[in-house]
Amino acid sequence: MTGDQTASLTWRPATTYQAATSRGGYARSNGAPAVRLPGHADRLAASFELMAALLEGAGLADVLALVVGRARHMSGARLAFMALPGEDVGTLTINISEGINSDHIHGVTVRIGTSTIGRVFVTRRALSVRVATDPALKGLPAGPILLLPLDTGERTCGVLALSGGPGDISLSSSIKRQLMIFATTAATLIELAEERRAAHPD
């Protein structure tokens, strides 16, 4: 992968949509169909859905899948996945994936010290890049990708990734900000689900 931490992010061609507002909305360009833009309202709705799932007794696996699914919906990403600490020390495994080529990336294990995903996990800082030649992620289309740490403030649970396609451009800074806030909320709820599973393993 190549990129930097100041890149902005949006998965649509420039002819498809314009700047999003903080509340989300619809935008049209050159007569193109309306595109739903994620924003504050979308993030709140996704966060409340996660909280409701936990209150209703959802298991950890269901919570993780819900995080990935809602993040993909918010971003309009072609592919969303989550990498969690692997069985071997110093590794991350892509346990949850949804979207185009999700079967190619599911189950892939990367080393924390030699991968871009691992870099985000260790530094606890989001990273916007474009997929280039990363053997560990060869199943991904060569487009933009946003990597978000699932950071509780005390530890990183994993990394949430949202990938676009070859013809897509980066997400706007406002959308990226909403996704970062959602990732932080999701990390806290994932930790609660982990604690509940540890207390009630059956």
Side-chain angles (χ1 to χ4, degrees), residues 12 16-29 32-39 41-42 73 175:
R12 309 295 180 191
T16 305
Y17 78 73
Q18 302 167 347
T21 67
S22 60
R23 294 178 298 173
Y26 292 89
R28 298 172 185 266
S29 179
V35 176
R36 183 73 176 94
L37 299 180
D42 300 282
H73 172 75
I175 298 173

Side-chain angles (χ1 to χ4, degrees), residues 15-87:
T15 57
T16 305
Y17 78 73
Q18 302 167 347
T21 67
S22 60
R23 294 178 298 173
Y26 292 89
R28 298 172 185 266
S29 179
N30 298 331
V35 176
R36 183 73 176 94
L37 299 180
H40 180 72
D42 300 282
R43 174 178 58 80
L44 287 179
S47 298
F48 284 133
E49 187 172 356
L50 281 174
M51 293 177 192
L54 273 176
L55 290 174
E56 292 171 2
L60 178 59
D62 291 331
V63 171
L64 296 176
L66 193 56
V67 169
V68 171
R70 293 302 169 264
R72 182 181 177 223
H73 172 75
M74 288 173 63
S75 65
R78 297 175 188 242
L79 172 68
F81 63 87
M82 185 184 294
L84 302 170
E87 294 183 2

